[in-house]
Amino acid sequence: MTGDTTPGTPVRRPRMTPDRELELLNAALEVLREAGYEALTMDLVATRGRCSKATLYRQWGSKEHMVAAAMHAARPVDLAEIDTGSLRGDLLALGREAAAHAEKNTELFAAMAHAILGNEELATVVRTTLLEPESRNLARFVERAVERGELQEWPPGAEFLPQLMFGAVMSRQLFDATFADRDYVTRFIEHAILPTLLS
């Protein structure tokens, strides 16, 4: 008799492939956009992703961590991969990608906003797994500009760069009833963000 059939031997489950993980995270995002965070359940995501609820808990541990991972996967671009050789180029490259996904991501954050305000665990997970790492990557844009001599020193306005970039994309629908496009984000960077950093 082989070891695989010995009573009490744990069943070895294959690790989830990156493609399958992304498929399940996309399923979570679809449910989130359609139903909102409060109505999202592991059962709904399991049904949409054609898997068991246990698979979701085994992979992410909680609804909060699964949603944060899904939001991380939905980022338009990995900021760590952007390095154009200039601060302006880096910001515009980010802006182009953000504008291309503005509609979906605005809807996503709208679905999350109320839940984040009322759920401290969710807020902490989103902050530590998504916002803080992205803020550090944005800070590298400015650090490289200082290293290259584009900036003489770290500008005080750099503290607000994450909020400025987030606001450039996420607030337009509220003010103008349309989603941020490439032209809008470019103008925001040129006339609001860069003057703040270069002054």
Side-chain angles (χ1 to χ4, degrees):
M1 183 176 289
T2 67
D4 288 339
T5 58
T6 301
T9 300
V11 176
R12 293 183 179 275
R13 295 183 175 88
R15 293 188 63 181
M16 186 179 294
T17 66
D19 285 346
R20 180 56 174 155
E21 180 177 354
L22 183 59
E23 184 180 351
L24 293 180
L25 291 175
N26 284 333
L29 287 175
E30 289 174 4
V31 175
L32 178 62
R33 290 191 182 100
E34 292 169 9
Y37 180 81
E38 298 299 341
L40 180 149
T41 66
M42 297 300 242
D43 285 316
L44 284 173
V45 177
T47 299
R48 182 69 59 92
R50 300 182 305 281
C51 70
S52 69
K53 183 168 64 173
T55 295
L56 301 178
Y57 278 110
R58 190 165 54 245
Q59 186 70 14
W60 290 288
S62 70
K63 170 181 169 177
E64 290 82 5
H65 282 87
M66 180 187 67
V67 169
M71 293 175 67
H72 187 270
R75 295 171 304 160
V77 64
D78 184 349
L79 299 190
E81 295 180 356
I82 295 178
D83 187 357
T84 66
S86 74
L87 176 60
R88 180 179 181 274
D90 290 349
L91 291 173
L92 291 176
L94 171 57
R96 285 193 298 272
E97 293 298 328
H101 298 82
E103 182 171 352
K104 284 186 176 181
N105 285 339
T106 300
E107 292 171 348
L108 173 61
F109 276 96
M112 290 292 296
H114 183 266
I116 288 174
L117 289 175
N119 184 328
E120 183 57 36
E121 181 179 358
L122 175 64
T124 298
V125 171
V126 170
R127 190 177 302 118
T128 57
T129 64
L130 182 65
L131 300 180
E132 291 176 0
E134 295 295 77
S135 294
R136 288 193 294 270
N137 285 327
L138 271 176
R140 278 297 297 149
F141 288 12
V142 181
E143 289 169 1
R144 289 197 302 262
V146 174
E147 293 164 3
R148 288 189 296 258
E150 290 179 80
L151 300 173
Q152 295 303 309
E153 59 184 1
W154 181 270
E159 175 186 355
F160 306 105
L161 181 56
Q163 293 92 327
L164 288 169
M165 286 300 303
F166 184 85
V169 177
M170 298 300 164
S171 66
R172 193 182 189 199
Q173 204 280 333
L174 177 63
F175 283 95
D176 300 328
T178 187
F179 295 101
D181 57 19
R182 181 171 174 173
D183 176 68
Y184 176 82
V185 175
T186 296
R187 288 187 288 113
F188 195 104
I189 291 169
E190 295 279 16
H191 301 301
I193 295 179
L194 282 172
T196 297
L197 299 178
L198 299 174
S199 62

